[in-house]
Amino acid sequence: MRDPSPLLASRPSRRYLNPSHKPAWYAARQKTITRAQKRVERRLWPIFGLAFAFDRRIDLDAAFGRSAVDRSALVLEIGCGSGEALCSLAASHPDADFVGVDWFRGGLAAAMQGLDEAGAAANARLVRADAATLLRDGLEARRALDEVLVFFPDPWRGSEGRRIVRPEVVQSLSPLMQDGGRLHLATDVEGYADEARAVLASCCDAEARWEEVACDCCLPRPSTKYERDGIAAGRGVNDVCWRFVRGSVVRGCGD
Ligand SMILES: C[S@@+](CC[C@H](N)C(=O)[O-])C[C@H]1O[C@@H](n2cnc3c(N)ncnc32)[C@H](O)[C@@H]1O
């Protein structure tokens, strides 16, 4: 067992419970949390939670007690919700480290419980934050992320500017990516995959680019409720993967 991280709070921090920087979109989201979820937070946040503060970036190597040489991959799931995919991946890849970020407190409580049941205390952590803000200001992870997962992101119908795959978010993500790191988007929202393709193409320049690759370059995506709901409602699911490449060298999937 690795040493527990000094970054883990002994209880949900005040910033977790009442963050001063709420994303604008949160006003319309669930604000209540049940007693059972609060009990889960009290028990499991000290194990899985990483405190996000604006004056200190989260050091993921310190959080996991191991660095890139000792792990097979560092994976970030944006909008992990109740953690269905995160729990499955963390349990089946103990050699890799997984971080889930979401703002939805009830979802994070379910994710903590799932990770606990999956025995993922050593290789999974959760952050409560607006993912766009976390990527911009919150991570000490320069060139460290091997894979970023965006599974069934909110469509924000009628408000595309709030979609998570947008130029300013990708610009914040790029410096955090390992050369050859992957981004995996899965969506059942019509047009989202093509819009994301356009966004990633717009974020390429002479220094670095996002290349679309086959999805077997990425971790296999576990099925989640959102996929099942989409299929049950007759919607198609689109998986799109990109590889982040610095410089101009063209490589194969396993390179
Ligand atoms: C439709 S759910 C999908 C959850 C999960 N990826 C899955 O497939 O089961 C979208 C999740 O993204 C979260 N989310 C949306 N925008 C976010 C943002 N800017 N920062 C953090 N979480 C966000 C929502 O709170 C919600 O839990």
Side-chain angles (χ1 to χ4, degrees):
M1 184 77 180
R2 296 191 296 272
D3 291 340
S5 159
L7 294 174
L8 298 182
S10 58
R11 59 178 57 202
S13 68
R14 288 182 59 195
R15 192 180 292 277
Y16 173 91
L17 296 171
N18 185 23
S20 50
H21 293 261
K22 273 187 194 161
W25 50 266
Y26 188 66
R29 311 283 292 184
Q30 174 190 324
K31 291 178 191 158
T32 55
I33 179 155
T34 65
R35 284 186 173 178
Q37 287 169 331
K38 281 187 186 167
R39 279 196 297 275
V40 169
E41 279 183 348
R42 274 198 298 275
R43 191 166 63 84
L44 296 177
W45 180 254
I47 297 172
F48 293 104
L50 292 177
F52 171 47
F54 281 82
D55 52 357
R56 189 189 59 190
R57 288 176 184 258
I58 297 172
D59 178 342
L60 294 177
D61 287 354
F64 288 106
R66 62 178 172 182
S67 65
V69 274
D70 301 314
R71 64 164 81 95
S72 65
L74 180 60
V75 182
L76 173 71
E77 184 180 4
I78 294 178
C80 62
S82 55
E84 215 179 333
L86 196 70
C87 294
S88 165
L89 289 168
S92 55
H93 296 83
D95 50 325
D97 290 331
F98 294 83
V99 182
V101 54
D102 207 295
W103 188 269
F104 174 36
R105 212 170 136 187
L108 286 170
M112 286 176 221
Q113 189 149 24
L115 290 171
D116 188 44
E117 287 162 7
N123 71 324
R125 296 288 178 266
L126 297 167
V127 184
R128 185 177 184 222
D130 167 31
T133 311
L134 182 76
L135 292 174
R136 194 190 62 215
D137 297 326
L139 293 179
E140 190 67 69
R142 234 183 121 63
R143 301 192 173 196
L145 298 178
D146 295 285
E147 195 153 329
V148 175
L149 314 174
V150 186
F151 294 160
F152 301 94
D154 287 324
W156 303 117
R157 289 192 178 83
S159 179
E160 277 78 4
R162 284 205 257 164
R163 286 187 176 173
I164 198 69
V165 184
R166 53 182 201 270
E168 64 272 29
V169 177
V170 178
Q171 299 292 2
S172 300
L173 176 62
S174 295
L176 305 177
M177 294 300 293
Q178 181 79 263
D179 188 15
R182 279 90 48 210
L183 169 65
H184 184 169
L185 169 71
T187 178
D188 62 347
V189 176
E190 208 183 327
Y192 200 148
D194 282 339
E195 186 186 302
R197 284 187 176 99
V199 168
L200 286 155
S202 77
C203 294
C204 297
D205 58 28
E207 306 285 308
R209 64 188 189 284
W210 293 90
E211 284 176 351
E212 193 169 332
V213 291
C215 284
D216 55 9
C217 291
C218 293
L219 291 168
R221 176 175 61 76
S223 170
T224 67
K225 171 184 175 298
Y226 289 94
E227 174 175 45
R228 296 187 289 277
D229 287 353
I231 291 170
R235 294 191 291 272
V237 171
N238 275 307
D239 279 277
V240 194
C241 295
W242 294 265
R243 179 176 37 209
F244 182 72
V245 182
R246 288 181 208 283
S248 54
V249 182
V250 177
R251 277 178 297 238
C253 186
D255 297 343

